[in-house]
Amino acid sequence: MAKTALITGITGQDGAYLAQLLLSNGYDVHGLVRRSSTADVNTARLKWLGIEDDVHLVDGNLRDLSGLIRTVREVKPDEVYNLAAQSFVKSSWQQPILTGEVTALGVTNILEALRLEHPEARFYQASSSEMYGLIQEPEQSEATPFYPRSPYAVAKLYGHWITVNYRESFGMHASSGILFNHESPLRGIEFVTRKVTDGVARIKTGLASELRLGNIDAKRDWGHSKDYVRAMWLMLQQDTPEDYVIATGRTTTVRDMCAIAFAHAGLDMDDHLVIDPELFRPAEVDVLLGNPAKAREKLGWQAEISLEEMIREMVDADLERYASRSGRG
Ligand code: NDP
Ligand code: GDP
């Protein structure tokens, strides 16, 4: 019999790629969607992948426990992937309370809905490498202590530990994936990779002349969302729920990532890049580098798409977006 999955955050980058993966594995896929007046825009990623009509969308919000209980009662999912969050670090200083309500307490809401209605479901929590923040070890593994550096990271740390706690308290099959940054053509435009590839496409097509960035010395371990959603699924196929670091094991500066994008478009980065002090953060995560050894050994998982391939794919997708816009006049 086909398995049933419930994805919170299905309209986001990972939600869309995960839905695509689960559909191709024969799942019946349900997704929680925040009601808004722009439903057509919200489902743009599912449309981009051509799967909008293949998933069941249900109105809901991670802050609304009664709605979550109702959804779990109706869907009775075999697997729940909790990807919904206020996910942008910089916004979390502007909206710290909302970030806490959704990204932290929202995890307890969905766990409570499962505990009350369907405790046998397997649960995945989208934890984040941002929890390492001010890094305590040069390479971060499952054993590395956390030191969050933003309201977002503090909220994610709560979500991580409440997942561990429900596993230990109630024996739930709850796993947490500590995912390092991962990107794709479907990445939100506010994140630095997509801001860069979109900016390069705008410069290439004559719509802009400069690209303004903040701290380009920051280093991240960047992978591709398509690879990372496969790791989420693999975690829930294990007999025992555990936590895993998902990363490439390579770290790169924002500057060098940016250079790949400009070079791919045949542009000279020095002619266009402007450093804007306004874009620096109140507290920075200078460098992240993950050690994915456990995922490799236990899940047989490793990243397959390189940073270079991914950035080129993103630049091409953004160039295509602008070409088709001008084509429509
Ligand atoms: P996105 O920002 O693209 O997607 C976030 C999703 O959460 C969207 O579908 C959004 O809906 C939904 N959402 C936000 N608030 C609520 C709410 N109150 N109730 C219900 N849904 C809500 O994130 P990604 O796909 O990139 O990331 C997926 C998850 O993984 C997030 O939890 C993120 O924090 C985490 N993560 C991501 C990493 C990355 O590098 N991408 C790294 C580590 C962790 P809407 O479309 O309506 O805004
Ligand atoms: P994060 O790791 O989840 O915060 O992912 P981001 O893609 O938002 O940021 C990655 C790094 O790029 C951080 O260290 C930022 O400070 C740095 N960065 C430099 N300029 C920018 C910018 O203009 N926008 C964003 N989003 N990040 C920037």
Side-chain angles (χ1 to χ4, degrees):
M1 246 197 30
K3 280 193 194 168
T4 300
L6 173 65
I7 304 174
T8 75
I10 195 167
T11 55
Q13 167 188 256
D14 291 2
Y17 280 118
L18 178 65
Q20 185 183 49
L21 174 76
L22 296 179
L23 287 169
S24 72
N25 288 352
Y27 280 62
D28 189 20
V29 178
H30 298 251
L32 193 77
V33 180
R34 286 197 282 183
R35 196 269 147 189
S36 86
S37 64
T38 50
D40 52 333
V41 178
N42 284 8
T43 51
R45 292 184 172 102
L46 297 169
K47 286 198 186 103
W48 203 80
L49 294 178
I51 57 171
E52 194 207 4
D53 296 333
D54 303 329
V55 294
H56 311 279
L57 300 181
V58 44
D59 273 353
N61 194 305
L62 220 53
R63 295 166 74 189
D64 180 26
L65 177 60
S66 70
L68 293 175
I69 291 174
R70 222 177 348 267
T71 299
V72 167
R73 188 182 297 153
E74 280 160 18
V75 174
K76 292 220 177 324
D78 298 297
E79 298 172 8
V80 176
Y81 296 87
N82 185 39
L83 310 185
Q86 190 303 92
S87 68
F88 187 40
V89 170
K90 187 132 193 286
S91 294
S92 75
W93 278 285
Q94 181 64 25
Q95 300 185 77
I97 295 166
L98 176 90
T99 302
E101 285 173 357
V102 178
T103 306
L105 268 190
V107 187
T108 311
N109 282 337
I110 182 76
L111 282 167
E112 273 293 283
L114 289 175
R115 180 161 82 98
L116 292 168
E117 288 293 330
H118 197 50
E120 60 272 37
R122 295 187 172 194
F123 179 78
Y124 172 83
Q125 167 58 17
S127 287
S128 166
S129 56
E130 290 291 316
M131 300 188 306
Y132 296 117
L134 188 63
I135 54 168
Q136 304 293 297
E137 288 179 330
E139 266 188 55
Q140 298 88 53
S141 74
E142 296 78 6
T144 305
F146 299 117
Y147 193 137
R149 291 271 280 173
S150 62
Y152 167 80
V154 172
K156 278 288 177 190
L157 197 53
Y158 174 94
H160 178 71
W161 282 117
I162 201 72
T163 301
V164 173
N165 183 259
Y166 270 53
R167 177 169 77 217
E168 294 177 353
S169 303
F170 306 116
M172 288 172 66
H173 193 296
S175 295
S176 176
I178 307 173
L179 271 54
F180 282 63
N181 297 52
H182 48 279
E183 325 290 313
S184 74
L186 297 185
R187 183 63 145 152
I189 205 132
E190 65 275 35
F191 295 91
V192 75
T193 52
R194 183 73 204 293
K195 181 175 173 182
V196 165
T197 62
D198 176 74
V200 163
R202 288 170 63 84
I203 294 168
K204 186 72 183 175
T205 49
L207 293 168
S209 58
E210 62 177 36
L211 171 65
R212 304 181 86 82
L213 292 179
N215 176 17
I216 60 171
D217 293 320
K219 296 174 95 172
R220 289 293 182 274
D221 179 332
W222 277 295
H224 198 298
S225 173
K226 260 189 168 177
D227 277 339
Y228 285 41
V229 299
R230 198 173 68 251
M232 297 176 189
W233 176 75
L234 282 169
M235 281 179 225
L236 295 205
Q237 309 318 303
Q238 307 305 305
D239 291 337
T240 316
E242 285 181 44
D243 306 323
Y244 295 88
V245 161
I246 301 298
T248 68
R250 167 187 172 198
T251 192
T252 308
T253 59
V254 171
R255 180 190 284 103
D256 289 346
M257 176 276 294
C258 205
I260 299 168
F262 275 98
H264 185 57
L267 296 168
D268 187 343
M269 181 165 94
D270 296 334
D271 293 342
H272 306 282
L273 186 56
V274 177
I275 302 303
D276 183 346
E278 288 286 306
L279 296 171
F280 282 66
R281 296 173 176 189
E284 180 60 288
V285 173
D286 293 321
V287 53
L288 290 172
L289 172 61
N291 175 352
K294 179 178 174 185
R296 199 165 43 235
E297 280 156 30
K298 290 204 166 182
L299 304 177
W301 178 90
Q302 65 177 27
E304 283 168 9
I305 304 168
S306 73
L307 176 65
E308 286 76 6
E309 284 174 281
M310 178 177 78
I311 295 295
R312 288 184 207 125
E313 179 195 358
M314 290 172 68
V315 170
D316 289 342
D318 279 321
L319 284 168
E320 218 176 287
R321 281 186 180 105
Y322 285 109
S324 61
R325 265 179 230 176
S326 66
R328 277 202 299 271

